[in-house]
Amino acid sequence: MTAYVILVSGRGSNMQALLDAALPGRCAAVISNRAGAGGLAIAAARGIPAVVVDHRDYPDRETFDAALAAEIERHAPALVLLAGFMRILGTGFVERFAGRLLNIHPSLLPAFRGVDTHARALAAGVRIHGCSVHFVTAALDGGPLIAQAAVPVLVGDDAASLGVRVLAAEHRLYPQVARWFLEGRLRLDGEHVKLRGERPPADTLFVPPLD
Ligand code: GRF
């Protein structure tokens, strides 16, 4: 079965959604840069190797990236999923995993790259917010978009209530995109995202053109 690896830094709810989705692949490991990440305990309880590569054990980004890449490669994954992984990865790392490295971001990219996306969306006064899954490139939250899901911004929302609504959308979107990839339907062709086969459901608002 095709192997995939998930990288987390925190609670791991997207990781859990991926594991719950019975994807057509085997989660070979969950790797965290933080020993206390909640996602590690969830993975270990499911019998999945839960590994720590602590960035504080390395003098600089290059050596951390190299250690992380070596740990990932041990599992020979076809796909690497960033799921709330809060370290910026260097160009060398990103190029090494180009075309098989995905991220989920809690905004409708290219709006609100970076952190605190829900508070910034509220401050900007947008009426529609959401999440995006993209191939990772060296541009922070800037790689080719694969799919997005939108949610309304409601009167009275604060960052927490909006975040809960977006997170529910994330938990549907990310497993769907991972499934496309593991089924061999999704690939990166240069800068272009290609998806073969059936159209996705209507709650996926942005999809790449079909081959
Ligand atoms: C999610 O909102 C994800 O989009 C962002 O970090 C958060 C991680 O949450 N990259 P969790 O650890 O998956 O619960």
Side-chain angles (χ1 to χ4, degrees), residues 1-22:
M1 230 183 185
T2 312
Y4 65 91
V5 164
I6 305 175
L7 304 192
V8 301
S9 297
R11 69 190 156 183
S13 72
N14 276 289
M15 177 209 74
Q16 199 162 357
L18 290 162
L19 297 177
D20 286 343

Side-chain angles (χ1 to χ4, degrees), residues 8-16 39 82-86 103-107 117-118 131-132 163 166-167 170-171:
V8 301
S9 297
R11 69 190 156 183
S13 72
N14 276 289
M15 177 209 74
Q16 199 162 357
L82 304 183
F85 186 71
M86 299 305 285
N103 183 44
I104 186 153
H105 182 76
S107 78
T117 56
H118 309 313
C131 55
S132 307
V166 171
L167 195 63
E170 294 183 41
H171 294 165

Side-chain angles (χ1 to χ4, degrees), residues 10-207:
R11 69 190 156 183
S13 72
N14 276 289
M15 177 209 74
Q16 199 162 357
L18 290 162
L19 297 177
D20 286 343
L23 296 171
R26 176 179 58 88
C27 182
V30 168
I31 304 172
S32 174
N33 65 308
R34 287 184 47 238
L40 287 172
I42 297 169
R46 292 176 177 234
I48 296 167
V51 183
V52 179
V53 181
D54 192 329
H55 60 275
R56 293 170 305 185
D57 292 342
Y58 299 89
D60 51 36
R61 190 186 308 285
E62 285 68 35
T63 50
F64 168 69
D65 281 4
L68 181 62
E71 179 56 37
I72 294 170
E73 297 282 25
R74 263 180 6 93
H75 305 282
L79 176 63
V80 179
L81 297 142
L82 304 183
F85 186 71
M86 299 305 285
R87 298 298 294 177
I88 292 174
L89 296 163
T91 305
F93 181 99
V94 166
E95 285 174 357
R96 182 166 175 171
F97 292 99
R100 56 179 172 137
L101 184 59
L102 302 184
N103 183 44
I104 186 153
H105 182 76
S107 78
L108 293 174
L109 291 169
F112 311 120
R113 292 177 172 148
V115 297
D116 295 329
T117 56
H118 309 313
R120 288 160 57 211
L122 287 171
V126 299
R127 309 310 317 164
I128 296 177
H129 187 41
C131 55
S132 307
V133 177
H134 62 94
F135 282 104
V136 176
T137 64
L140 180 64
D141 299 325
L145 281 169
I146 302 165
Q148 296 182 303
V151 302
V153 178
L154 302 180
V155 173
D157 263 341
D158 57 16
S161 63
L162 183 54
V164 167
R165 198 171 307 123
V166 171
L167 195 63
E170 294 183 41
H171 294 165
R172 291 196 309 273
L173 190 67
Y174 211 6
Q176 177 167 76
V177 174
R179 182 177 301 281
W180 290 337
F181 190 98
L182 292 167
E183 288 174 347
R185 296 173 51 194
L186 173 66
R187 69 192 166 86
L188 186 61
D189 180 6
E191 299 270 287
H192 301 284
V193 173
K194 296 284 177 67
L195 177 69
R196 285 190 294 110
E198 264 175 56
R199 282 201 174 277
D203 65 352
T204 305
L205 288 191
F206 174 95
V207 296

